[in-house]
Amino acid sequence: MTAVVAEIKKGRKFDQVLEGARQIFMRDGFEGASVDEIARAAQVSKATLYSYFPDKRLLFSEVARIECNRQASEALDVIDDNAPVEQMLYQAADRVVRFFLSDFGQQVFRICVSESHRFPELGQRFYESGPQLLRQRLGSILQRYVDKGALKIDDMELATSQFGELCKSDLFVKCLCGVSCGCTEADVSRVVRGVVEMFLARYKV
């Protein structure tokens, strides 16, 4: 049974199972996470866990989907789309950069990249709840500034993808490779400023 075909069944302990799974996946990775450990962390029986998620890939992809949606919603809450375009972009970049540098952001990226060649449906679900979600949410905000005449963007899909990749510059790759994960506030601000300046140099009217 693949993660795409399998059906998620919700119940009273559904959130409990997800939180337990989140803890174990982040600690042990996808391959190292055992169903026994997940059930123990969630304080449910294996039978209960399987009744909700008959496939471990489905469980992981659901954990990633919910967390990415939560992060996106929280980011939107702090972004003021009535603010000047520079301020809005700074708020957006700050949230995206911090997500990429978070333990969760790093772990999800590592797990999905390492497993997607064996389980393409896992990579597909991650893409939809991660990069694609970012493009959709950010695109809706940027479009308002295009309509106001503050930005000129002919290809919104490309522009939002570029924004996301700029947010990975320098710190994300270093942390991912284990070169340096001790990022200071000054380090984060440097990257965020670079994202905003580069994006505006290309798209500001």
Side-chain angles (χ1 to χ4, degrees):
M1 181 178 293
T2 69
V4 169
V5 175
E7 180 183 357
I8 297 175
K9 297 179 180 178
K10 294 191 176 182
R12 184 169 57 87
K13 296 185 178 181
F14 182 79
D15 291 340
Q16 201 170 313
V17 169
L18 284 177
E19 179 53 32
R22 183 185 186 283
Q23 294 173 21
I24 301 304
F25 281 133
M26 294 305 101
R27 189 189 72 188
D28 300 338
F30 177 82
E31 193 64 35
S34 72
V35 174
D36 288 324
E37 283 293 315
I38 293 172
R40 189 175 298 113
Q43 299 182 324
V44 300
S45 67
K46 285 176 66 175
T48 297
L49 190 153
Y50 279 125
S51 71
Y52 294 141
F53 296 95
D55 188 296
K56 189 172 81 167
R57 286 168 286 165
L58 180 65
L59 175 55
F60 173 76
S61 63
E62 185 66 6
V63 169
R65 184 190 69 79
I66 290 175
E67 183 65 15
C68 287
N69 272 281
R70 184 184 69 80
Q71 294 272 358
S73 295
E74 288 184 357
L76 286 177
D77 288 342
V78 301
I79 294 174
D80 180 6
D81 58 7
N82 291 313
V85 64
E86 292 89 348
Q87 182 179 331
M88 178 278 295
L89 288 171
Y90 195 96
Q91 293 169 341
D94 185 73
R95 292 306 296 255
V96 174
V97 169
R98 290 180 190 278
F99 174 75
F100 285 149
L101 295 178
S102 69
D103 289 340
F104 179 85
Q106 294 275 313
Q107 280 279 19
V108 167
F109 186 86
R110 287 191 181 99
I111 293 169
C112 287
V113 169
S114 66
E115 299 296 334
S116 60
H117 70 288
R118 292 193 300 152
F119 309 123
E121 68 275 12
L122 183 63
Q124 177 66 30
R125 283 176 64 91
F126 169 68
Y127 182 79
E128 291 171 355
S129 61
Q132 183 172 296
L133 179 65
L134 171 63
R135 289 208 313 266
Q136 292 171 345
R137 298 289 182 90
L138 181 61
S140 66
I141 295 174
L142 292 177
Q143 186 60 52
R144 297 168 199 168
Y145 286 87
V146 172
D147 296 339
K148 295 175 185 177
L151 297 174
K152 185 179 187 300
I153 301 176
D154 297 321
D155 188 337
M156 187 62 74
E157 183 174 349
L158 178 61
T160 51
S161 294
Q162 289 171 333
F163 186 90
E165 291 305 309
L166 285 170
C167 289
K168 292 179 182 176
S169 299
D170 194 28
L171 298 181
F172 174 76
V173 177
K174 283 183 179 178
C175 196
L176 196 65
C177 295
V179 175
S180 175
C181 290
C183 304
T184 66
E185 286 298 312
D187 294 330
V188 173
S189 294
R190 171 177 166 267
V191 172
V192 171
R193 283 196 306 272
V195 172
V196 175
E197 290 170 3
M198 184 71 77
F199 195 83
L200 287 177
R202 172 63 179 85
Y203 293 110
K204 187 176 181 180
V205 173

